[in-house]
Amino acid sequence: GQQLNQSPQSMFIQEGEDVSMNCTSSSIFNTWLWYKQDPGEGPVLLIALYKAGELTSNGRLTAQFGITRKDSFLNISASIPSDVGIYFCAGQARGSTLGRLYFGRGTQLTVWP
Amino acid sequence: EAGVAQSPRYKIIEKRQSVAFWCNPISGHATLYWYQQILGQGPKLLIQFQNNGVVDDSQLPKDRFSAERLKGVDSTLKIQPAKLEDSAVYLCASSLVRRQGANYGYTFGSGTRLTVV
């Protein structure tokens, strides 16, 4: 199956700092999604990207669909304690079964007050 | 709108027992997915339905796992018999795929945490 490499695996930052994480794939994707998962809950969609080069914001979050269509990044500005959680990238490969998503292994974010 | 509903939230069973999970997707979402999420990993697709038909079950261990979506709405996932390595969170998701190759409204339920002892 498709491999998604998500980095970093974990981050420990202080409140107010900016955060950046990224995801790369071995093949071309036509959809990139970023999710946040809190303990005991399912992933919650943060941002969806559908076009190469697309830059989309959702409050303090900004994500971009890479020009090569093999990567995406997520930035969080001015982090706050409630940003703590696991962030997953997910994508749909071009030509894959309709709607199937592949997930990265996640970035564990810890924010110190 | 109501989200994806799953039950139960937690289940503990002994190995070789059977277990079933239930999912009710968002109204109008034709596509339903079951994922397995092992601790420390991202979700892995087990099976995908389009209405009541199976689109992709290539990752489903069919010797012990089965799933159905008889009326194109609710779905059940069953494991029989369970093994220790089946301990995981089982997530259900649904989406409204409006055009070929694109996911819209892809939403997850809260999951069922299964522990096999």
Side-chain angles (χ1 to χ4, degrees):
Chain A
Q2 302 292 337
Q3 295 290 325
L4 289 189
N5 296 311
Q6 185 173 350
S7 64
Q9 186 174 354
S10 61
M11 301 184 73
F12 298 83
I13 63 170
Q14 200 156 20
E15 183 177 0
E17 291 183 353
D18 296 342
V19 172
S20 183
M21 58 192 79
N22 67 80
C23 205
T24 60
S25 64
S26 56
S27 57
I28 291 174
F29 275 37
N30 59 21
T31 302
W32 281 101
L33 306 172
W34 284 92
Y35 287 88
K36 182 188 178 204
Q37 187 171 27
D38 292 325
E41 298 295 331
V44 174
L45 182 65
L46 299 174
I47 293 179
L49 303 161
Y50 299 104
K51 295 180 181 179
E54 181 180 356
L55 184 70
T56 298
S57 294
N58 178 7
R60 294 179 295 105
L61 278 62
T62 301
Q64 184 161 28
F65 193 138
I67 291 292
T68 65
R69 304 178 73 177
K70 292 185 177 182
D71 62 339
S72 178
F73 72 76
L74 174 71
N75 286 343
I76 305 174
S77 63
S79 59
I80 58 178
S82 62
D83 291 334
V84 167
I86 302 176
Y87 292 79
F88 289 100
C89 62
Q92 183 179 352
R94 186 179 64 179
S96 69
T97 303
L98 185 65
R100 177 174 183 171
L101 290 184
Y102 297 88
F103 282 80
R105 295 180 68 94
T107 296
Q108 172 74 60
L109 178 64
T110 302
V111 181
W112 299 101
Chain B
E1 67 180 359
V4 176
Q6 288 189 248
S7 67
R9 287 299 307 272
Y10 306 94
K11 191 74 175 179
I12 301 174
I13 62 172
E14 295 183 348
K15 59 184 179 182
R16 291 188 289 275
Q17 286 187 325
S18 62
V19 64
F21 313 126
W22 173 83
C23 173
N24 182 250
I26 291 175
S27 177
H29 281 195
T31 310
L32 183 147
Y33 316 78
W34 283 101
Y35 285 84
Q36 180 192 59
Q37 186 177 22
I38 294 173
L39 186 65
Q41 298 183 18
K44 184 188 82 171
L45 181 70
L46 291 176
I47 189 168
Q48 176 184 341
F49 292 92
Q50 183 73 15
N51 296 309
N52 61 349
V54 175
V55 175
D56 185 351
D57 63 356
S58 58
Q59 300 293 307
L60 188 72
K62 299 182 185 62
D63 58 333
R64 298 183 301 106
F65 286 64
S66 64
E68 61 183 11
R69 193 185 184 197
L70 293 176
K71 298 183 179 179
V73 181
D74 294 7
S75 177
T76 56
L77 175 69
K78 298 179 182 177
I79 307 175
Q80 181 180 12
K83 294 185 176 181
L84 295 177
E85 58 262 35
D86 297 333
S87 294
V89 175
Y90 291 84
L91 295 164
C92 179
S94 69
S95 72
L96 180 64
V97 183
R98 289 189 177 141
R99 68 173 193 264
Q100 184 75 21
N103 280 286
Y104 291 92
Y106 210 112
T107 305
F108 283 85
S110 296
T112 296
R113 180 175 297 277
L114 174 67
T115 303
V116 183
V117 298

